[in-house]
Amino acid sequence: MMVLSLITSVLFMCFQMPDNRRHHESCVLVKHTFADPDDSLEIINLVECQSPNGLTNWFSSDIKKSVCTSKQCKMLNVRLFWDGVGNYHHLELIDNEPLTKTDHTEFNADDYDKLNSILSDSLSVFRDLQMEDLVIEKRSDVDGVSGATSKSLTDYVVRDAVYTCYTLWHTVYGTSKNNIHALLKQRVDKDYLRKLFDRNDPVTDIWALNTMISNPEYAVPFFDKLIVKIASGNDITSSLALRAISPQNLNSEALQKKLADQISKADDLKKLDIIWKLNDCPVVYDAVIMQLLHDYQKGIITPAALHYVYKMISGKNMLNPDIAKKLQEFRTDKNRYIRDITDKLLITTEAKNQR
């Protein structure tokens, strides 16, 4: 892929946010030019708004495409925007040239809202459809000039504009988005990820965390930040932060204890997730095992969660007198399930030691 980047020192003052507030910022506009893989005679221009610290505020691309039905073609003339990590943001009309339908009527405000909702859906049904799947041709001209829109799509698309919706969705999630991801991938390093986290923005957090999941080596310097995000109230970033921590990187008692400390702040499902993560560690330290056993006694974790704690207890852990003593206490626990799984653990361990 051939890329030509031209930097233009231009200040861009605002762009439309989803809540209709104006977001004012200064940035340097950088123009990226790519070859179009679908047409060797065409190029794709991306404009990037870079903040002074090198992070991207947004990308945009002017789209001029023909949308053809079975009997006629019309031109789309819009500017698409993606946020700084490549998620669709919004579209603007170039020269206030409205979008039109197959019957030549212009989009109204509700139509634009619906189109924006469609373009925001990365898992749209359009993902698996071909152009010929969009309409059912009939002898009578039911849907403008193109036939009847497939019934499965009627409520989903803008009425009489299924081709426009389809074309724009594939433009949003096609080559331009791939080019954005390629640009960002080239920039990823520890400093870039640190700047993303410093934004304290859930959207950029998700992108940074997914990058760490794919590249575990990047997560190591951010362990404390990941711990903070695990304890956050955002379920998505919390789950991704936990996934970004590799069990192989939990290689010290201090790191394992920091993770175990989050159990008391988490809901029951997240507590299990943390215990499973510790369970995947090659070695779980005695102090961490004791902490988890105490968590059960304090009512912080459930009997079901204690069952998974038992799975991480090794023969070496059992040699610790404090752990051995605590397990003996659990043999007389008021909960019969706990008594049973404790007996089973002790019997199994003793049998292994006799081999």
Side-chain angles (χ1 to χ4, degrees), residues 2-20:
M2 181 177 67
V3 181
L4 173 65
S5 295
L6 303 174
I7 300 180
T8 307
S9 296
V10 179
L11 296 182
F12 184 93
M13 290 307 297
C14 63
F15 70 96
Q16 192 70 34
M17 299 297 286
D19 60 1
N20 295 321

Side-chain angles (χ1 to χ4, degrees), residues 49 55 63 80 88 101 111 115 120 143 178 209 257 262 268 270 289 295 304 327:
C49 166
L55 294 183
I63 306 299
L80 295 175
Y88 169 75
K101 305 180 181 183
D111 293 330
L115 176 61
S120 298
D143 181 10
N178 293 337
L209 291 168
K257 281 185 65 62
Q262 306 312 307
D268 285 343
K270 188 64 63 183
I289 298 293
D295 282 346
L327 291 174

Side-chain angles (χ1 to χ4, degrees), residues 6-46:
L6 303 174
I7 300 180
T8 307
S9 296
V10 179
L11 296 182
F12 184 93
M13 290 307 297
C14 63
F15 70 96
Q16 192 70 34
M17 299 297 286
D19 60 1
N20 295 321
R21 294 177 300 174
R22 304 297 281 184
H23 179 66
H24 296 273
E25 61 191 343
S26 296
C27 66
V28 175
L29 296 184
V30 183
K31 183 179 179 182
H32 305 278
T33 302
F34 301 86
D36 188 336
D38 299 321
D39 188 341
S40 59
L41 299 179
E42 294 292 328
I43 60 172
I44 297 172
N45 291 316
L46 271 176

